[in-house]
Amino acid sequence: MIRRPPRSTLSSSSAASDVYKRQVSTQSTGKLRKSMAEAEGQVQEKLLERPPEWAATATWIGGTFCVTLADCSSAAEVQVIPRGESVLELRVREESWRMELPYPVSDSSQIGVTFDKHLRELKISCGNDRSSEEAEAAIEGLKLRAEEQAALDRSWCDRAAMFGAGYEVVPMRLSDDERSTLKVVEGALEVSEYTDVVDCYHNMSLQASGYRGFGMYSGLGYGGRGANSTKASKIRDCVADALATCSGLELASNYKRGKRLVGDKQFKDNAEFFSHAFELARRFKVTNPGKMRSTYGKMMYLLQDSRAEDPLGFDMVSPILTVRSFLEDKGATDMIQDPDLEVATTPVSCYDPDQIREAAEIKEAAKARLMATYASSVLSSEEVERCIHSIGDGMGYAAANTRPVAKMIQMLKEYFSSKEGKYSLAIRNGRGGSCLSHDHSTQYTFVLQSLTLWREIMSKLYRCWLAADADLLSARHSYRLVNTGQGLNRVQPASNVSQLMQSILSKVQREAGGWVGLSVVHLGDRDVPNALWFIDKYNQVPRILGPLANVLEQIEDLAKDPGILRYLQRTFGGVNETRTVILQDFFRHAFDGSGDDGGSCIDGRLTSAWNWCSNLSKKKYYNVFLLAGFKSFDGDFSTS
């Protein structure tokens, strides 16, 4: 059986890919709302309408509604009709759309409409009927929310622990030229059949494995080598094929630069270009884990073989460029200690528009001071700005991954620290798919420890990526091709990742004061064959918890609709009860031991969460997810 590499992450044939099962609704959100309203005897017309395509461009900024109408040429084609105090109907030729206002407007004369025929943009401004007390209360609510988020961030945000004292694990953002080269590398990898040919039983020829060749070796009859074709010869020819394709695409995209790669030159003569091209592709993947999902694993396995077999006589692997190494090369490491750097790279956590504007201005002023101070003949102002943005990317990346986990920990403590009875977290082996038996207190501790471990891993995901990269491309550790029960996979030790995981686990265990379940970390075995599988597994944590936290936060806003509120009250007992039911089921059955090894090992806890994801459509609260706009726990492979 031929095993294809992970799709950045795992392929659909993997048992660890339950999270990729699309949660596709059998009925649209609009139809679901309609059925609810009909059941209540109050069919609301606005819930039956399907928004036109141009509605997707609509945004509310303050009290102004903006929408782009690409097919309109004048204001005469547009009608704005008030439908009560809280609804406006927008008609564009034969299409109409009703939208709810952010607050009631009792006087229709307060509604102003302008149309920019050059930008094809319609703006609708609404007067504010809210009293000054209501406005102040709303602003205070936003400020309180920002304070709560800042307090939550303090539980995990430690720059030195996340990125190192000198940002030595923060990859540099790609420049414009590097992005052009990245497209060339991705194009070559897309058409490569490398792992189909190499990761198979080698008593078959290339022709038997289905390879037909592409690029400079196309049509030369790889399969003609017969059954005695060795793995080393396949690696050499397929690597050469991939590099030839890369050279051709570079020539096609930039003739002046590409012509230096072709002609009478050998691949070895262009070693610097190839090592740089693959380095920036690896760097891009670290900072954009949702990209290169069908090509990253293929590239890493190709580079892995190039180091072990040395098929073309040169090393195609160079260290990932980080902010620290870049500034050291430029002699500008003093910038790392500048207090303005932290100010310029701290994510904005405000929600009030005035606070957001003020925070953005402070960040821009700090960035301007850094650029003025450190720009020189060696380090341009654009490069200083790219360093700042790289660190800012890292902070935003850590926040996006870690905040959903921290939010779930907060809700676990808020709702279940002392709750038993109806909302107990107790589970029993054999019931509801559970493979563990825990009382409420034990399950609460088990879930809290698991989420705390995930939070620590998410905050240090850059470190995990670089450790995985070092292990996969290590010349000291070779791999074995093993049938793990999920096809042929490369089983390889991962010493760097193992050491990092042990330090994270020890920290969490010290904080917890004890441990429920196993503390085994699978690495280099049949469960987690190599470091690529490890990094893939934990990249799914924000994909699981992000949508879940988003739905839980939207329940109160959904309940502002009278029909939905009655549905929640009738089905679950109310708004707070709905949130509690969802949390209870998640904390019980996403940590019920249905993963491997009884589910209590470090990796089995995450597998149990994947199993919960795959069963979401069968839950009685699935309609709530649909109403909140939930589509799936995963993105679209075709667009990433």
Side-chain angles (χ1 to χ4, degrees), residues 604-625:
R605 302 171 192 228
L606 187 52
T607 310
S608 299
W610 288 335
N611 293 341
W612 178 86
C613 293
S614 67
N615 292 319
L616 179 63
S617 60
K618 302 174 184 176
K619 307 289 185 180
K620 67 177 182 179
Y621 50 77
Y622 183 52
N623 289 343
V624 179
F625 275 67

Side-chain angles (χ1 to χ4, degrees), residues 208-283:
S209 68
Y211 189 73
R212 295 294 177 269
F214 190 88
M216 69 178 290
Y217 287 95
S218 178
L220 294 185
Y222 278 22
R225 299 181 186 276
N228 295 322
S229 181
T230 64
K231 180 177 180 178
S233 66
K234 292 178 182 179
I235 290 174
R236 182 183 62 253
D237 292 342
C238 292
V239 169
D241 198 7
L243 298 188
T245 305
C246 194
S247 301
L249 291 175
E250 177 69 6
L251 178 65
S253 64
N254 189 319
Y255 179 75
K256 289 184 178 179
R257 189 170 58 189
K259 69 179 181 180
R260 296 195 297 267
L261 304 178
V262 296
D264 296 330
K265 291 187 176 181
Q266 301 295 317
F267 290 124
K268 189 174 183 179
D269 299 328
N270 300 316
E272 183 178 353
F273 168 79
F274 291 122
S275 64
H276 176 64
F278 287 119
E279 179 275 326
L280 64 88
R282 289 154 50 217
R283 180 168 21 120

Side-chain angles (χ1 to χ4, degrees), residues 5-19:
R7 305 184 65 166
S8 130
T9 65
L10 303 175
S11 72
S12 57
S13 63
S14 169
S17 65
D18 288 339
V19 71

Side-chain angles (χ1 to χ4, degrees), residues 556-575:
E556 288 186 2
D557 291 334
L558 290 172
K560 293 177 181 178
D561 184 295
I564 296 177
L565 177 59
R566 284 190 291 272
Y567 166 74
L568 298 180
Q569 291 172 337
R570 186 180 67 250
T571 308
F572 305 103
V575 174

Side-chain angles (χ1 to χ4, degrees), residues 399-459:
N401 290 331
T402 312
R403 281 177 177 172
V405 191
K407 186 67 177 176
M408 297 305 295
I409 293 174
Q410 181 188 51
M411 287 190 280
L412 173 68
K413 294 178 178 179
E414 178 182 350
Y415 284 86
F416 300 99
S417 60
S418 60
K419 238 176 211 183
E420 294 210 34
K422 181 180 178 181
Y423 295 113
S424 171
L425 297 181
I427 56 176
R428 181 174 295 181
N429 188 0
R431 292 189 179 182
S434 175
C435 296
L436 299 174
S437 293
H438 287 161
D439 59 22
H440 174 85
S441 177
T442 304
Q443 181 67 4
Y444 174 85
T445 304
F446 183 68
V447 174
L448 179 59
Q449 291 173 349
S450 302
L451 290 174
T452 304
L453 178 66
W454 292 357
R455 184 193 67 193
E456 292 300 312
I457 295 173
M458 291 302 100
S459 67

Side-chain angles (χ1 to χ4, degrees), residues 104-374:
V105 179
S106 57
D107 186 359
S108 60
S109 63
Q110 294 180 330
I111 300 174
V113 181
T114 58
F115 181 78
D116 189 324
K117 63 181 181 180
H118 300 292
L119 298 177
R120 306 289 177 90
E121 184 178 68
L122 178 74
K123 291 186 177 181
I124 304 174
S125 58
C126 300
N128 193 343
D129 272 7
R130 295 184 296 181
S131 65
S132 58
E133 291 81 5
E134 290 176 326
E136 289 176 4
I139 292 174
E140 287 301 318
L142 293 174
K143 290 181 179 179
L144 180 61
R145 185 182 173 190
E147 290 173 3
E148 291 175 350
Q149 183 63 67
L152 204 60
D153 287 348
R154 285 194 289 273
S155 67
W156 57 266
C157 188
D158 181 349
R159 290 189 180 226
M162 293 190 299
F163 307 129
Y167 299 105
E168 59 262 22
V169 297
V170 178
M172 280 291 291
R173 179 188 280 192
L174 268 61
S175 65
D176 291 339
D177 286 343
E178 287 176 331
R179 292 181 186 277
S180 176
T181 303
L182 174 67
K183 292 181 179 179
V184 169
V185 176
E186 286 190 281
L189 292 171
E190 284 286 353
V191 299
S192 173
E193 299 175 0
Y194 184 81
T195 47
D196 291 342
V197 174
V198 174
D199 287 355
C200 63
Y201 294 116
H202 292 284
N203 60 350
M204 65 174 71
S205 66
L206 286 171
Q207 189 175 41
S209 68
Y211 189 73
R212 295 294 177 269
F214 190 88
M216 69 178 290
Y217 287 95
S218 178
L220 294 185
Y222 278 22
R225 299 181 186 276
N228 295 322
S229 181
T230 64
K231 180 177 180 178
S233 66
K234 292 178 182 179
I235 290 174
R236 182 183 62 253
D237 292 342
C238 292
V239 169
D241 198 7
L243 298 188
T245 305
C246 194
S247 301
L249 291 175
E250 177 69 6
L251 178 65
S253 64
N254 189 319
Y255 179 75
K256 289 184 178 179
R257 189 170 58 189
K259 69 179 181 180
R260 296 195 297 267
L261 304 178
V262 296
D264 296 330
K265 291 187 176 181
Q266 301 295 317
F267 290 124
K268 189 174 183 179
D269 299 328
N270 300 316
E272 183 178 353
F273 168 79
F274 291 122
S275 64
H276 176 64
F278 287 119
E279 179 275 326
L280 64 88
R282 289 154 50 217
R283 180 168 21 120
F284 176 78
K285 176 62 178 180
V286 172
T287 56
N288 298 272
K291 303 295 183 181
M292 297 181 67
R293 301 182 68 179
S294 61
T295 56
Y296 177 72
K298 192 187 304 182
M299 176 184 71
M300 294 304 292
Y301 286 172
L302 183 150
L303 294 176
Q304 190 179 63
D305 288 336
S306 75
R307 301 211 84 181
E309 302 291 340
D310 192 21
L312 300 177
F314 67 93
D315 192 359
M316 295 192 292
V317 177
S318 58
I320 289 179
L321 181 65
T322 65
V323 171
R324 175 80 185 193
S325 59
F326 181 81
L327 290 176
E328 283 179 346
D329 186 56
K330 300 290 184 178
T333 53
D334 291 345
M335 176 179 163
I336 293 172
Q337 305 302 327
D338 196 310
D340 276 334
L341 186 60
E342 182 171 346
V343 176
T345 57
T346 299
V348 175
S349 300
C350 310
Y351 299 94
D352 176 54
D354 292 334
Q355 286 186 320
I356 293 173
R357 192 179 306 109
E358 181 182 355
E361 289 173 355
I362 292 173
K363 290 184 64 174
E364 285 299 318
K367 185 172 76 171
R369 290 194 296 271
L370 288 169
M371 293 169 66
T373 303
Y374 297 100

